[in-house]
Amino acid sequence: NAGVTQTPKFQVLKTGQSMTLQCAQDMNHEYMSWYRQDPGMGLRLIHYSVGAGITDQGEVPNGYNVSRSTTEDFPLRLLSAAPSQTSVYFCASSGGRGANYGYTFGSGTRLTVV
Amino acid sequence: AQSVSQHNHHVILSEAASLELGCNYSYGGTVNLFWYVQYPGQHLQLLLKYFSGDPLVKGIKGFEAEFIKSKFSFNLRKPSVQWSDTAEYFCAVNSGNTGKLIFGQGTTLQVKP
């Protein structure tokens, strides 16, 4: 029972490069979300999904894309990395009656854009 | 738009002191409320949650929170903190089971031995 798995754990990108942060959960959860954590700003919601094929924007979606082709996977794509996207990224999932049960978080991806 | 505000950004306490961290939200409809904790170098863990019923909710590690609907508040309390409670604490709100969980800015708690 792995829970929520994020890869990679660390990444350094050059400005303008693209990459995909991977997130997978093995709990058959319907709800999945991506957050970024920055000092003094808490966690800000980037994108979220309430099921396969359904995604929506969160508080800070610009510069990021998502898709949800399966229940298990919810990758986050950075189209053209910028220094402002340097952050720690967390993926989370929730089951039961959706977010009512609270989210389970992955261990995070620390991204640095130079 | 839904928002969450945590009043205390950095709290320093001595061991055995009592703790209360404030959390207010702005949303007029049905809400689900959460407190998460993040220990240094770790990911977020759920402390407690409120969906309905008794507004006083008990969580893990001796924490509790009280939902006061008229004040749009969900404050976290602990009667006697320990050094191991040093961590960052986040209040979060989900409105109407939309799958959209919004966090406050976080409160860093430092407990001195």
Side-chain angles (χ1 to χ4, degrees):
Chain A
N1 185 2
V4 179
T5 303
Q6 289 185 237
T7 55
K9 293 193 183 304
F10 302 94
Q11 183 71 48
V12 179
L13 287 179
K14 293 183 179 178
T15 297
Q17 285 185 316
S18 62
M19 79 160 294
T20 299
L21 306 185
Q22 301 292 345
C23 175
Q25 52 90 9
D26 61 357
M27 298 172 283
N28 200 32
H29 283 175
E30 290 182 80
Y31 288 24
M32 296 185 76
S33 295
W34 275 103
Y35 293 88
R36 59 177 290 173
Q37 184 178 20
D38 302 290
M41 305 189 76
L43 280 84
R44 291 180 292 169
L45 181 64
I46 303 172
H47 287 284
Y48 66 104
S49 169
V50 298
I54 307 170
T55 64
D56 205 349
Q57 295 182 349
E59 302 168 281
V60 288
N62 292 342
Y64 307 94
N65 272 358
V66 292
S67 60
R68 185 100 179 266
S69 56
T70 67
T71 299
E72 295 78 18
D73 300 300
F74 191 44
L76 178 72
R77 297 183 192 83
L78 279 70
L79 308 173
S80 177
S84 60
Q85 294 179 303
T86 293
S87 186
V88 181
Y89 291 84
F90 288 99
C91 179
S93 74
S94 178
R97 289 178 291 148
N100 288 356
Y101 282 74
Y103 276 83
T104 300
F105 282 81
S107 56
T109 295
R110 186 174 294 274
L111 175 68
T112 302
V113 182
V114 298
Chain B
Q2 181 182 331
S3 68
V4 182
S5 176
Q6 293 181 239
H7 318 300
N8 318 99
H9 297 296
H10 197 165
V11 174
I12 302 174
L13 295 174
S14 298
E15 275 195 314
S18 64
L19 170 73
E20 181 161 1
L21 301 182
C23 172
N24 285 89
Y25 64 92
S26 64
Y27 184 74
T30 302
V31 293
N32 303 311
L33 301 157
F34 307 86
W35 276 97
Y36 283 86
V37 60
Q38 186 179 33
Y39 297 103
Q42 297 187 25
H43 58 85
L44 275 77
Q45 301 172 39
L46 182 65
L47 268 180
L48 48 79
K49 56 186 183 283
Y50 172 81
F51 301 145
S52 63
D54 188 345
L56 185 61
V57 180
K58 295 192 183 300
I60 61 171
K61 304 186 180 186
F63 286 92
E64 64 179 32
E66 185 175 13
F67 171 50
I68 303 180
K69 189 174 181 179
S70 60
K71 295 185 178 180
F72 297 89
S73 70
F74 190 56
N75 292 355
L76 181 71
R77 300 195 291 247
K78 186 171 184 179
S80 175
V81 295
Q82 301 172 330
W83 177 79
S84 58
D85 292 324
T86 294
E88 192 159 15
Y89 292 81
F90 295 94
C91 180
V93 177
N94 165 254
S95 58
N97 194 23
T98 62
K100 192 173 177 179
L101 187 65
I102 301 298
F103 283 82
Q105 308 93 318
T107 297
T108 301
L109 172 65
Q110 183 182 353
V111 180
K112 294 185 174 180

